[in-house]
Amino acid sequence: MTRALTAKGAATRQRIVAGTAELVRTRGADQVGLDDIRAATATSKSQLFHYFPDGRAELLRAVAEHEAGEVLDDQQPFLDGLGPAGSWQAWRDAVVEKYREQGVHCPLSALTTQLGPADPGIRVIVADLLETWHTRIADGVRRAQADGPAESSLEADKVASSILAAIQGGVVMMQATGNIEFLKVPLDAALAGIEPVADAGPVPDAVTM
Amino acid sequence: MTRALTAKGAATRQRIVAGTAELVRTRGADQVGLDDIRAATATSKSQLFHYFPDGRAELLRAVAEHEAGEVLDDQQPFLDGLGPAGSWQAWRDAVVEKYREQGVHCPLSALTTQLGPADPGIRVIVADLLETWHTRIADGVRRAQADGPAESSLEADKVASSILAAIQGGVVMMQATGNIEFLKVPLDAALAGIEPVADAGPVPDAVTM
DNA sequence: ACAAGGCTGGACTTCACAGTCCAGTCCGAT
DNA sequence: ATCGGACTGGACTGTGAAGTCCAGCCTTGT
């Protein structure tokens, strides 16, 4: 981990992690072998083990960290701005759009439920991500109470938990059913207490919820 | 599937499915091999392939159906009674208690995210389960509107989606963090619009949410 | 320029595990 | 009682994937 790494080496390592993350996202972790990774990242077995001496497990841990970072980075601008009227709608639209284009390929659920149980190291990474995410949302709720549209009687931490659960649960249900309404509806409901949001998306593709 | 099955054969098949389900629940699907199943169910390879000619994949599909059935059966009495004042609290307590004792071993998430992506057949089973579950809850909401505590302005299908997402998301977060509050809080929030529920459980084991 | 050590290629080893096969036993109907 | 088919045991095969090894190349610092 804390080995000497030249610029070239760091670039190669990064290429491996990003390429593997891509594969894991699209196929699922257990459908990705070292040979797939080799092919996708133009590397050799020895490179894989050079940068990740503990092999596949260590690589997947690095992928988990990478993906956790991506999730927050994607939302960073919106999360920081959470609070004022309109900011919730913007964030909600960004989240929905993100998952719409990702389809069933959720980086987190791939790791949480595929690798989490087997690898405690990954559970920790996911737990950290959820905690950070939760904190950011709760901060937004508090800002909305101070200067924004939200009533101050709400318990910010609990509201944040509800919002986060709506997203996680919505994604799970969306993955199983293919219907993004299962993400939109619960998320909108969870946000309703802060600032009512509206669905400006295309005509719903499903007849019923 | 539609083969002749004597009583003895049916019992063996059932033993295999139940034993495999147990293993999948505790270890995760990809940590369960045919030899583990053999050992746990006191069977031989040929028995496994006798009852599930398509091998592991077919067996896991049978396990998925079995587990989906269990989920509904566990809640059946509560789901049918959903509507009147107090019925929501009872159901909520049953759900929370169920997941508290199960801990991280959720039969569904094991299947949804571990096998679902790879096996379309399992996705269908999970989607059916979610649809049935959703319908039962929505029916309960409608009963609560007709004779119970809920306002009739609610859209039952949307409320049901929110409740279901709160459970799914809460379980995901609970699995990652080990904190059952992440299930209780969102579920209570989702139910608040119908009938405010209270947490009568033991003192929270975590300092913060 | 020239070591030292990071970096790379790819063949090789090892092993776990799904799936096959066949010989043999048990059960149920006639 | 006996015949057919369901049922069972366990050895065997084949494959795919993780991890090892070592020889050789490129970079960097002096």
Side-chain angles (χ1 to χ4, degrees):
Chain A
M1 262 298 160
T2 56
R3 304 284 316 111
L5 248 303
T6 67
K8 188 181 179 188
T12 301
R13 196 193 126 102
Q14 168 60 20
R15 194 174 78 242
I16 295 172
V17 172
T20 305
E22 167 77 20
L23 287 176
V24 168
R25 231 176 295 132
T26 51
R27 295 192 209 169
D30 54 343
Q31 298 300 311
V32 175
L34 295 189
D35 286 328
D36 300 311
I37 296 171
R38 273 194 341 91
T41 61
T43 50
S44 67
K45 271 282 180 65
S46 62
Q47 281 173 292
L48 262 30
F49 283 86
H50 179 72
Y51 294 105
F52 306 94
D54 282 349
R56 201 183 123 95
E58 185 180 352
L59 172 52
L60 287 177
R61 246 168 321 206
V63 168
E65 263 161 20
H66 175 267
E67 293 293 74
E70 287 285 300
V71 169
L72 286 180
D73 286 352
D74 281 346
Q75 300 178 40
Q76 194 58 36
F78 295 99
L79 286 177
D80 284 344
L82 239 36
S87 63
W88 299 89
Q89 175 84 50
W91 174 60
R92 176 266 190 210
D93 288 343
V95 170
V96 169
E97 184 50 37
K98 181 78 184 178
Y99 280 105
R100 186 205 302 286
E101 67 184 39
Q102 271 180 355
V104 303
H105 307 316
C106 172
L108 265 199
S109 72
L111 295 166
T112 309
T113 43
Q114 284 173 27
L115 303 174
D119 186 335
I122 289 189
R123 273 239 300 273
V124 171
I125 293 168
V126 174
D128 282 352
L129 166 63
L130 287 178
E131 189 190 322
T132 303
W133 199 353
H134 179 267
T135 302
R136 294 278 164 79
I137 296 173
D139 287 345
V141 173
R142 277 184 278 266
R143 283 192 296 270
Q145 290 173 327
D147 332 310
E151 304 202 7
S152 54
S153 65
L154 300 169
E155 293 179 74
D157 285 333
K158 293 195 173 187
V159 173
S161 293
S162 296
I163 295 170
L164 210 37
I167 294 176
Q168 303 301 317
V171 169
V172 167
M173 294 172 69
M174 185 190 96
Q175 289 180 321
T177 63
N179 186 346
I180 200 169
E181 294 296 315
F182 279 121
L183 169 59
K184 283 182 185 174
V185 168
L187 178 53
D188 290 352
L191 290 173
I194 303 173
E195 170 189 58
V197 294
D199 183 14
V203 176
D205 38 35
V207 284
T208 63
M209 271 303 305
Chain B
M1 264 298 161
T2 55
R3 304 283 314 108
L5 249 305
T6 68
K8 188 182 179 186
T12 301
R13 195 194 129 102
Q14 168 60 21
R15 194 174 77 243
I16 295 172
V17 171
T20 305
E22 168 78 19
L23 288 176
V24 168
R25 233 177 291 133
T26 51
R27 294 194 208 167
D30 52 345
Q31 299 298 312
V32 176
L34 295 189
D35 286 329
D36 300 310
I37 296 170
R38 273 193 344 92
T41 61
T43 49
S44 66
K45 273 283 182 64
S46 61
Q47 281 173 293
L48 262 30
F49 283 86
H50 178 71
Y51 293 106
F52 306 94
D54 281 349
R56 201 182 124 94
E58 184 179 353
L59 171 52
L60 286 177
R61 242 165 303 163
V63 168
E65 263 162 19
H66 174 267
E67 293 293 75
E70 288 286 299
V71 170
L72 286 180
D73 285 351
D74 282 344
Q75 300 178 39
Q76 194 59 35
F78 295 98
L79 286 177
D80 284 344
L82 239 36
S87 63
W88 299 89
Q89 175 84 50
W91 175 60
R92 177 266 190 208
D93 288 344
V95 169
V96 169
E97 183 50 36
K98 180 79 185 177
Y99 279 105
R100 187 205 301 287
E101 66 184 39
Q102 269 180 355
V104 304
H105 307 316
C106 172
L108 264 199
S109 73
L111 294 166
T112 310
T113 44
Q114 285 173 26
L115 302 173
D119 187 335
I122 289 189
R123 272 239 301 275
V124 171
I125 293 169
V126 174
D128 282 352
L129 165 62
L130 287 178
E131 189 190 322
T132 303
W133 199 353
H134 179 267
T135 301
R136 294 277 164 80
I137 296 173
D139 286 346
V141 174
R142 277 183 278 267
R143 283 192 297 269
Q145 289 173 328
D147 333 310
E151 304 202 7
S152 54
S153 64
L154 300 170
E155 295 178 71
D157 286 332
K158 293 195 174 187
V159 174
S161 293
S162 296
I163 294 170
L164 209 38
I167 294 175
Q168 302 301 317
V171 169
V172 168
M173 294 172 69
M174 185 189 97
Q175 288 180 322
T177 64
N179 187 346
I180 200 169
E181 293 297 313
F182 279 121
L183 169 59
K184 283 182 185 172
V185 169
L187 178 53
D188 289 353
L191 291 173
I194 303 173
E195 170 190 56
V197 295
D199 183 13
V203 176
D205 40 34
V207 285
T208 64
M209 272 304 306

